[in-house]
Amino acid sequence: MEKNHVIRIKCTDQKGLIAGIASILYRHEYNIMVMKEFVETETGQFFARLEIAGELHPSELEKELTQFLPASASVQIIPKQKKKIVLLVTKEYHCLGDLLVRHYFNELHADILAVIGNYQVLEPFTQKFNIPFHVVSHEGISKEAFESRILDTLDFYQPDYLVLAKFMRILSPEFVQRYQDRIINIHHSFLPAFIGANPYKKAFERGVKLIGATAHIVNNDLDEGPIITQQIIPVKHDDGLTDMIEAGHEIEKSVLAEALKLVLEDRVFVSGNKTIVFS
Amino acid sequence: MEKNHVIRIKCTDQKGLIAGIASILYRHEYNIMVMKEFVETETGQFFARLEIAGELHPSELEKELTQFLPASASVQIIPKQKKKIVLLVTKEYHCLGDLLVRHYFNELHADILAVIGNYQVLEPFTQKFNIPFHVVSHEGISKEAFESRILDTLDFYQPDYLVLAKFMRILSPEFVQRYQDRIINIHHSFLPAFIGANPYKKAFERGVKLIGATAHIVNNDLDEGPIITQQIIPVKHDDGLTDMIEAGHEIEKSVLAEALKLVLEDRVFVSGNKTIVFS
Amino acid sequence: MEKNHVIRIKCTDQKGLIAGIASILYRHEYNIMVMKEFVETETGQFFARLEIAGELHPSELEKELTQFLPASASVQIIPKQKKKIVLLVTKEYHCLGDLLVRHYFNELHADILAVIGNYQVLEPFTQKFNIPFHVVSHEGISKEAFESRILDTLDFYQPDYLVLAKFMRILSPEFVQRYQDRIINIHHSFLPAFIGANPYKKAFERGVKLIGATAHIVNNDLDEGPIITQQIIPVKHDDGLTDMIEAGHEIEKSVLAEALKLVLEDRVFVSGNKTIVFS
Amino acid sequence: MEKNHVIRIKCTDQKGLIAGIASILYRHEYNIMVMKEFVETETGQFFARLEIAGELHPSELEKELTQFLPASASVQIIPKQKKKIVLLVTKEYHCLGDLLVRHYFNELHADILAVIGNYQVLEPFTQKFNIPFHVVSHEGISKEAFESRILDTLDFYQPDYLVLAKFMRILSPEFVQRYQDRIINIHHSFLPAFIGANPYKKAFERGVKLIGATAHIVNNDLDEGPIITQQIIPVKHDDGLTDMIEAGHEIEKSVLAEALKLVLEDRVFVSGNKTIVFS
């Protein structure tokens, strides 16, 4: 039997939730392969993620769960299938390269529908993998116009998620709102250290002994969204700025791929400025 | 409300286990603070650990759970209170020192009832902490007699767990059987590499670039019991054998403390030669 | 032959430094066991640390090296012997406990002459190890008076280094200047993230997935001194604030011990707000 | 001024080596950018790696150094230029993909002249990058014939190094001898644990909590050559064999790239079954 659906539940906590949810699934003879839940004390919210197997009628099940759960509950029943994503890039290739290779060999739990770049430089590389590359330059036009062109392209592809694979432009709140909780970014520092531009330069000048990379969900504040995962790599006094950037690239691509896997497998919940990650 | 009991369940997997268990607890109006479960595909076994809060009648609850669960089920209902442990040591102080300090400051989830050493060297240090130290020498007597004396001392203390905090004698199967799944050892290598004596020397001669430490439950085969947790630390070509031993001590005490915390919080299940760890 | 002296050199970089230094040592028939050097591009400074063996006349050698090196050179010839340190603590025991155990078993490359605490709480523990404990309360007196009393105590002991083993008072620039580059602090965050008070609370609220600890040399700006070493430990969404503090303690004591070892072996140079660490 | 040559020296240790070497370089007015050396106590061997800048006459310098150094000395003066490498692969793509992307973007300190595979499966991918792919099947022919065909191909390309990027055939001692200390392999375990076939299966069955990957230089004994670098990644009880293999791939490609960088920058010396790595 395949683990063929993921159920995601978010609601106010109360007694009997696990018993109630599990009983509904049992009545339908679904097999619960994995069930993970968490109660966030600060907010009183209950989060659960289940993997279930069995012949499933999603709408019926959703109705039944919704009837049982508190009024404000959010219930998602998601078939185990590939998500659709679009990548946004600027000039750096390392995250893009990593994702395109994974995609080519069917390792990514997603179809990369297209790559959008604000420069042309990564087009030839992308096209090797038969992925459409759209150049949307930010030069000579307003931010609004720039974002509007990107949104038009996205409208065509209707992706589930946007992945900022070293996209070096700050997105407006209006843009972000259109893809609420669906934009994944990689920031090249151990957030919240070195927010903003040139984190490696700042890290070098500060003389840190570890550098970090952070994958997070984008919200309205620059580099301030909910963190999905972080990695670090040690540096030494004889690592110059270039060495630190090179070392950083290694963890940037690794942490982005790790975060993306978690998101694409529906393991990440957002709660305020935090994530719950059922790994 | 306090999380005041841990429930541990191990049984053959079947549909409806989570629903059934959760419903029993709900009927009694216990609050499930945390519930984690795992089905081991290879053995078809279901493992669960719950933290529950509420006025509890353990024997009644155990009876009810046992009636619901498959015949072979093991059910443990454990009050959240400190375990009793005895430490066995030889001459090395670093793990002992770490545990005694944690114990003194009430950080360890256990009472250290006594320390047994096959040398006298660690007695003065132990006595600073007002912990009884029993010297049981292995010299000039048979292994059987040696172990018999240790067992006599243990009989007096009736500990829940034995902790081999760098105890350098191999215990007989008969001894181990008396404390089945209740002896925690620290092996100073990344098991299964460098089984047996002098792992650092072997690691040094092999020219490894990482050295490891492994905390495991002792079974009949030397260094072969179920692994609880492992840590590593990098070494370089200019680390001599002494440097490697020193570096190793850092992770030995850390990994033993980590494993002990997991065991003392009833988070570790044994399945054959593996552990399930609900962290 | 023992590695019995460390030579530390800092001067403006120029061609021929290594040849010149090594030739002087060779002429005296000293054996260079280890020689490490570094040129900091940004400042044009040359740093070197040598371990040498042989019958040595330090003052003669120093004179000869100074004559050869550029005018501004700093030359230190340090016998390989234990440093003298004094610890400053507040209420938290974990770093103190770790250092006292290491000291007791002669693992620390230093003699702990005394512990100064602004509370009495750690006195009984310290006295187990026959180390004098001086209570210097900050309550009801001015900062100046408080620091003056500490300085009086230090004057008596004349330590080489002060170790702030979770000392929770901020030292004034005047105090710091008295022990320029000789005060080692542990800050319980991954600096420069979460500078100042309550870093764990800030980290918890930010939802980070790694927490850090930083050992650094104290200068006039709070949490801003040259970093010696940093460590991190992963945390998850179900780690509450208390869990994060507990996890942090593990790396705090580890990173402080690591940094202290580096400092006590004369491996750390300060250059502006950075360190050069010849590990 | 560019750091334009690397000097590598290996010889019997004796007093005055650093002084002598540095003085020769100073006399020629070369600037020593970096100098690292190491004396291996067990063998009495001295190893040094220097990066120097200046107008250089390699043959003259080599002659002078050789005259100064002990009779058995090995001296290499290597211009800072890209090495030539050939990759050997079987069916797994992750290391190949990583290296081809790095190569394409000019990040690898080497030219990949060709890829040789014993299956055809990775040919289309390789050709996207305009790298020749040679299928040399091992099926239906003797090992000798198989290796002979590979050697013929290699003879054409004359690479500096062979990189076994998940090449799943064991090479004969005769083959290895032809490329003494010039074959880099990635073994998918934390050597010396899980030598030989199916290391992930063995690791899964053993219930380890960390899995490793090891990049090493190939010698005559299977998985027994000098280790260049190792990495680990944590696994949990709910990671099945497939999850462990997936996790392992992440560190396999990372550790191979790291090792390759070290080798290609002439930082790795072999001494018996160990490496000295001047990082």
Side-chain angles (χ1 to χ4, degrees), chain A residues 93 102 105 107 128 250, chain D residues 93 102 105 107 128 250:
Chain A
Y93 64 88
R102 288 176 197 264
F105 286 107
E107 175 190 326
K128 284 185 189 301
E250 301 298 319
Chain D
Y93 65 88
R102 289 176 195 265
F105 286 106
E107 176 188 327
K128 283 184 190 302
E250 302 298 320

Side-chain angles (χ1 to χ4, degrees), chain A residues 36 93 97-98 101-102 104-105 107 109 122 124-125 128-130 236 238 246 250 253 261 279, chain D residues 36 93 97-98 101-102 104-105 107 122 124-125 128-130 236 238 246 250 253-254 261 279:
Chain A
K36 301 215 173 176
Y93 64 88
D98 184 68
V101 172
R102 288 176 197 264
Y104 180 83
F105 286 107
E107 175 190 326
H109 301 238
L122 295 173
F125 177 70
K128 284 185 189 301
F129 295 88
N130 304 319
K236 300 191 308 289
D238 55 3
E246 260 184 43
E250 301 298 319
K253 64 188 183 192
K261 187 174 193 295
S279 61
Chain D
K36 301 215 173 177
Y93 65 88
D98 184 68
V101 172
R102 289 176 195 265
Y104 179 82
F105 286 106
E107 176 188 327
L122 295 172
F125 179 71
K128 283 184 190 302
F129 295 89
N130 305 317
K236 300 191 306 290
D238 55 2
E246 261 185 43
E250 302 298 320
K253 64 188 183 192
S254 174
K261 187 174 193 297
S279 61

Side-chain angles (χ1 to χ4, degrees), chain A residues 180-197:
Chain A
Q180 181 78 37
D181 293 349
R182 290 160 58 199
I183 310 177
I184 316 303
N185 186 40
I186 169 74
H187 184 76
H188 40 315
S189 90
F190 187 85
L191 286 179
F194 309 124
I195 285 176

